Amino acid sequence: MSYTRVGFNLAASLSRHFVARNSRENSKQMLALTSGKKINSLEDDASGYFLARGLEANISGLKQAVKNIEIAGNVLDIASNSYQAINNLLMNIKEKVVQGADDAYTSEQRAALQGMIDAMVAEIDDSVTEGTFQGKTLIDGSFTGQVFQTGASAGQTFDVDLVAADAATLGLTGLDVANSASATTSMATVDNALLTLHRAMQRAGEYLIRLRARSNALRITIVNTEQTRSGIEDTDFAKARMREGKAALLQQMGFSSLKDAIAAPQQVLSLFA
């Protein structure tokens, strides 16, 4: 490269080009180290940027789906607790009608048993009324066809139908222990009510098992998706630090070369000394 032509300093021009390029690379790696991301703008990697944003949106949707499942689980827990309370009442009612089926009890004692049975039947309806979520009664037969969004895409839903457990649905109207015969009939009625209730409890339990399985699957998907996004977008600090050091060294050497290239044409003056 000749330094005796002073009209255009090719060496200085090339040096300025490489200094500017190394300066940009140094700044880029410093930003990657400080932000924690190797893609900070479309300029860095347009396709990678849009892919990362799409994965980020999917992760956000998956996380909300997990929250939705937790809400659905809370609903089913409330319903299950109400069912369990009614089950306890039915067990006590069963005990009383079994007592009433025994001829050893007097009419006064049967009246007392009847009063306790009637009170517990009324308590069953109170338990149904009190089993609510967000103002919705859960086990009165109205909580059917309820849809929970359990995925990040349309159609990824979970349908819930809760069986009614009020006294009328369970067939508990007209329980009577006035004599052993009527008490025996009431025993069969209570047994049928327990069977109906246990089926309802089983359904709620199966819903909970399925929801927990979906939640676990979603959590694994979130981790895998986040790992993919991180590989595309996040900084590998070891590599970024190495690149930043290389760019800084090249930049420093470039400034030195630029200084020499600018000064070189001045040597032409020595020809006229």
Side-chain angles (χ1 to χ4, degrees):
M1 185 178 297
S2 174
Y3 292 103
T4 59
R5 297 185 180 91
V6 297
F8 174 67
N9 192 334
L10 178 61
S13 180
L14 289 174
S15 294
R16 277 194 296 270
H17 168 73
F18 287 116
V19 166
R21 188 182 69 177
N22 291 329
S23 179
R24 288 193 299 271
E25 179 64 20
N26 188 35
S27 298
K28 177 181 177 181
Q29 297 306 322
M30 289 180 66
L31 179 59
L33 289 168
T34 55
S35 69
K37 296 183 181 298
K38 62 185 176 185
I39 302 177
N40 289 282
S41 66
L42 288 170
E43 182 182 358
D44 295 330
D45 182 348
S47 61
Y49 181 87
F50 283 116
L51 180 57
R53 296 290 71 74
L55 291 171
E56 192 173 56
N58 193 38
I59 291 169
S60 178
L62 290 170
K63 288 181 177 179
Q64 183 58 54
V66 170
K67 293 179 181 178
N68 292 350
I69 290 175
E70 290 174 352
I71 292 172
N74 292 337
V75 170
L76 291 169
D77 283 338
I78 293 171
S80 296
N81 290 337
S82 297
Y83 283 141
Q84 186 59 53
I86 294 170
N87 181 72
N88 294 340
L89 289 166
L90 282 175
M91 296 298 291
N92 288 330
I93 292 173
K94 174 70 180 288
E95 179 183 339
K96 302 309 177 187
V97 296
V98 170
Q99 283 183 268
D102 194 326
D103 281 332
Y105 291 91
T106 66
S107 58
E108 290 79 6
Q109 291 171 327
R110 290 181 181 282
L113 288 173
Q114 187 68 54
M116 288 186 284
I117 290 171
D118 292 342
M120 286 187 284
V121 170
E123 184 62 28
I124 287 175
D125 285 337
D126 288 342
S127 295
V128 170
T129 302
E130 292 168 2
T132 63
F133 183 85
Q134 298 280 55
K136 294 182 178 181
T137 305
L138 302 180
I139 59 171
D140 66 344
S142 64
F143 201 85
T144 59
Q146 301 298 301
V147 180
F148 294 90
Q149 181 68 36
T150 56
S153 301
Q156 295 178 336
T157 57
F158 189 89
D159 298 339
V160 172
D161 295 292
L162 294 177
V163 177
D166 57 283
T169 300
L170 295 175
L172 296 175
T173 56
L175 293 179
D176 184 14
V177 290
N179 54 59
S180 61
S182 60
T184 299
T185 301
S186 294
M187 286 172 58
T189 299
V190 174
D191 286 340
N192 288 332
L194 280 167
L195 181 60
T196 299
L197 180 67
H198 292 165
R199 287 172 178 167
M201 295 173 73
Q202 180 180 356
R203 174 180 288 189
E206 290 170 350
Y207 283 149
L208 282 168
I209 291 171
R210 290 170 58 194
L211 283 172
R212 290 194 184 100
R214 290 198 182 193
S215 179
N216 291 336
L218 284 177
R219 292 178 192 277
I220 293 172
T221 301
I222 288 170
V223 171
N224 291 336
T225 306
E226 179 61 36
Q227 185 176 11
T228 301
R229 183 212 59 78
S230 178
I232 294 170
E233 185 178 39
D234 290 347
T235 298
D236 182 325
F237 282 90
K239 291 182 179 179
R241 186 66 185 88
M242 179 181 67
R243 290 169 180 165
E244 187 270 338
K246 177 182 178 181
L249 177 61
L250 290 174
Q251 184 181 23
Q252 183 178 359
M253 294 177 65
F255 277 123
S256 178
S257 297
L258 176 60
K259 179 181 178 181
D260 292 341
I262 291 173
Q266 297 179 6
Q267 297 175 10
V268 175
L269 297 175
S270 64
L271 299 175
F272 301 97

